[in-house]
Amino acid sequence: MIMKKSILASLLGAAVFVSCGQNVQKNDVPVYLDEDSPLEARVEDALSRMTLEEKVRVLHAQSKFSSAGVPRLGIPELWCTDGPHGIRPEVLWDEWDQAGWTNDSCVAFPALTCLAATWNEDMSAVYGKAIGEEARYREKDVLLGPGVNIYRTPLNGRNFEYMGEDPFLASRMVVPYVREVQKNGVAVCVKHFALNNQETKRHEYDAVVDDRTLHEIYLPAFKAAVQEGGAWSVMGAYNLYKGQHLCHNEYLLNGVLKGDWGFDGAVISDWGGTHDTAEAITNGLDIEFGTWTNGLSGATSNTYDSYYLADPYLAALRSGEASTEVLDDKVRRVLRLIFRTAMNTRKPFGSLCSPEHYAAAREIASEGIVLLKNEGEVLPIDLSSAGRIAVIGENAIKMMTVGGGSSSLKVQHECTPLEGILAAAEGKAEIVYERGYVGDVSGRYNGVVTGQDLSESRSEQQLIDDAVALASSSDAVIFIGGLNKSAHQDCEDSDRYGLGLPYAQDKVISALAKANPRLVVVLISGNAVAMPWAGEAGGILEAWFGGSESGNALADVLFGKVNPSGKLPFTFPAKLEDNGAHALGAYDPESDIAEYKEGIYVGYRWAEKMQTEPLFAFGHGLSYTEFEYGEAVCLRKTVRHGADVTVSVDVTNAGKVAGKEVVQLYIGDDNSSVDRPVKELKGFRKIALEPGETQTVTFTVTPDMLKYYDSSAGGWVLEPGTFTAYVGSSSADIRTSVRFEIK
Ligand code: GLC
């Protein structure tokens, strides 16, 4: 039915053209809309009709977030929107400031660290579907996300937008998100490709990384998003690699992304990431956005004609300096992107702020919360017998969906932690709040305001005294602190200055612990933090930036409605120097060179190499129940080169409440000829178990999972020999292991 409609529409379209008696040229007939014809045929048809000027026009922005189409041929313009956690409010044509619409509020989904912390690919699919529907409803063609840059340093201001320190976890968790977003006829734009692992000097630093580290650590998640997810666009990063900006980088864009990986979509520059016409032409950039050229930092007239891929490119083409083959490849990629999105007539209609989206946000947020510590069974809190609960800390009341940079949102609603706790405790327990400390009282970003008045007149000491007084007279204390979205916290375009909590929170927490041992500390953050008070708190939760439903999700876990099942997607080091980049002095915020001296030893790979005890390990997360593991079994202990290895283990819920466990598989190469990590994540499975229930979890280890990247050979190598499969509840909580041999 739809196909007939589209043919009818195009025939009518043609008829309309003919009937108005214009001198109709073949080229003026709208491009063929029939979606049953092969995409490449439609692309070639459109390309053959476009003039040189029209071809150049589709390769750069025409406004802050849109690039041109070809009106003459009925090809619409392309609209992009931030961001990875929700759909950015509409901005003015050529400004970052708000357009002031009243129908563009959205649902804020949890930050991607929280999604990664679920270790549940189903949650990634739920996430992609929901955010894709919101983008579709807002009639956006390209969603500028997800971000999958690897967590190299705890100081990186944008870690909260990404999926942690391990390439396997990030690779598995990004694919469903990509697929589900694109089912809405909305392209993802996987970012920031590549090696954008810090915000300091992000436009200037040249990442110096050896090939093995590049391929084993920093590329896999992008490769999975492209080859398994089928991403339709990729965003070039601001930084440089091999001396070339990533928005026009021969090795990574043409060589790896479009060459080795066969990426057929469009490379979109980060906003202001393009710096040179010749490089932009030859080194793989397809659409240029937001460049600061010829004073383009402001809204001057004809701004967009002076973009590097605008008039300068047209001049290079007319002079014969630039080839039309390269031009046509760019245009094909843009046309593919347009046909897949803006001209896709089979898209669903999408939806915005629906109950399903709030439910998705709440489910992902509660499943991503990580129970780091739970001594003396301080958690879950039984509301029926809780008496008075003191809730203390600025992050209990501060909205976190505004700020943090381009991922900032204008939400229809945000349930703060205190609101979630009050709603859950209604009629059951007394909740009393104290500020405890003052952090960031602002509440605006790019013209979006929270409307909260966080002003406070009491002194730091008075705030602590008042909090301690309340804690002393309460049955339980919940401190809610952590970081926030202000500069040098979890925020784009700046890194943190150190690992410690800001605003003297350590002092507050220690004072509270003395006043009442039944203390639970909840961290709202997107990064690891130091916890000198970790021994003083009975319970510790990492609750991430949970989005619109963060308060309800936190209450679900605090009061036992949801049994926590999140696992850390990155290591919490005891001190900054326990992180590889910092141990080797390889993170220098003043330098234009970022030399990744730690190589592949990122996160737990470094900690295990150096045998340093992390504060909380990669993959760590407790439950309100206990899980017991049987012995890991290998179907065959010796397999021929190239065959799969199967590892099985029985897992039992030995506790009293139902729960979910993330069974993790790590592999160590026992006798490799090159230096390799002690073990590397190569499998995980989240299983739900009723009390007493046992499930057998089976992992298939493929040869690719056993390989390392050989820089000299320029490829992946599987060395025969023995390997050990480690199975456990975290990288530091291995329950069982089994050896096998590759002949
Ligand atoms: C920003 C960010 C990028 C964002 C883009 C548009 O500078 O680096 O992630 O999508 O510009 O706001």
Side-chain angles (χ1 to χ4, degrees), residues 69-315:
V70 189
R72 181 178 63 83
L73 296 176
I75 296 176
E77 52 205 15
L78 207 58
W79 278 89
C80 302
T81 181
D82 286 313
H85 306 150
I87 309 310
R88 182 174 184 154
E90 205 66 22
V91 296
L92 293 171
W93 180 259
D94 190 26
E95 301 295 336
W96 292 114
D97 271 346
Q98 301 309 300
W101 287 14
T102 56
N103 61 354
D104 60 348
S105 299
C106 70
V107 170
F109 298 98
L112 293 191
T113 36
C114 181
L115 172 59
T118 67
W119 289 57
N120 185 346
E121 291 159 271
D122 295 343
M123 287 296 104
S124 177
V126 165
Y127 197 120
K129 179 176 185 298
I131 196 172
E133 288 169 348
E134 300 240 332
R136 173 69 193 100
Y137 189 83
R138 287 281 315 286
E139 301 200 334
K140 303 302 180 183
D141 306 307
V142 182
L143 176 66
L144 300 173
V148 287
N149 292 105
I150 289 295
Y151 186 111
R152 173 179 182 245
T153 162
L155 306 188
N156 177 19
R158 290 185 90 170
N159 278 330
F160 73 99
E161 289 188 52
Y162 305 145
M163 296 189 180
E165 74 186 28
D166 182 86
F168 183 88
L169 176 65
S171 299
R172 295 304 95 222
M173 291 303 290
V174 72
V175 170
Y177 180 117
V178 171
R179 286 180 179 153
E180 288 302 317
V181 166
Q182 297 191 155
K183 282 180 186 169
N184 289 283
V186 175
V188 299
C189 186
V190 187
K191 68 189 187 181
H192 304 85
F193 187 74
L195 299 164
N196 187 179
N197 306 102
Q198 65 186 60
E199 288 300 287
T200 298
K201 286 182 161 284
R202 65 175 176 163
H203 296 276
E204 292 91 19
Y205 78 86
D206 190 349
V208 178
V209 197
D210 65 274
D211 285 357
R212 182 177 176 204
T213 302
L214 179 69
H215 287 276
E216 288 192 14
I217 303 295
Y218 295 100
L219 291 184
F222 288 101
K223 184 174 183 181
V226 166
Q227 292 193 327
E228 297 173 57
W232 290 337
S233 78
V234 167
M235 185 186 292
Y238 282 132
N239 53 283
L240 294 85
Y241 171 68
K242 292 187 184 296
Q244 284 182 350
H245 282 93
L246 257 301
C247 289
H248 29 80
N249 188 287
E250 174 58 29
Y251 182 89
L252 280 175
L253 295 181
N254 283 342
V256 173
L257 177 64
K258 296 179 177 180
D260 301 345
W261 297 353
F263 175 63
D264 75 350
V267 172
I268 293 176
S269 77
D270 199 340
W271 269 238
T274 312
H275 298 272
D276 179 277
T277 290
E279 282 198 15
I281 294 170
T282 58
N283 294 355
L285 179 61
D286 299 308
I287 314 181
E288 174 188 0
F289 271 101
T291 307
W292 276 271
T293 53
N294 302 351
L296 296 193
S297 56
T300 50
S301 65
N302 289 329
T303 295
Y304 296 100
D305 295 342
S306 48
Y307 271 35
Y308 294 101
L309 286 187
D311 288 355
Y313 190 15
L314 198 52

Side-chain angles (χ1 to χ4, degrees), residues 21 121 263 270 304 333 360 420 437 458 463 471 533 549 637 743:
E121 291 159 271
F263 175 63
D270 199 340
Y304 296 100
R333 292 171 182 276
Y437 70 93
R458 288 174 287 175
L463 285 163
W533 36 265
E549 285 289 84
K637 291 244 179 183
K743 278 291 183 205

Side-chain angles (χ1 to χ4, degrees), residues 516-584:
N516 189 326
R518 293 190 67 74
L519 168 65
V520 173
V521 173
V522 176
L523 295 172
I524 307 287
S525 73
N527 251 319
V529 294
M531 304 183 207
W533 36 265
E536 303 161 43
I540 306 173
L541 284 165
E542 172 60 62
W544 312 113
F545 295 113
S548 286
E549 285 289 84
S550 50
N552 287 325
L554 176 60
D556 288 346
V557 170
L558 283 170
F559 306 125
K561 188 174 173 187
V562 168
N563 184 353
S565 63
K567 300 282 185 178
L568 290 179
F570 50 76
T571 306
F572 275 57
K575 56 186 186 304
L576 197 53
E577 296 64 40
D578 289 352
N579 166 285
H582 294 272
L584 299 176

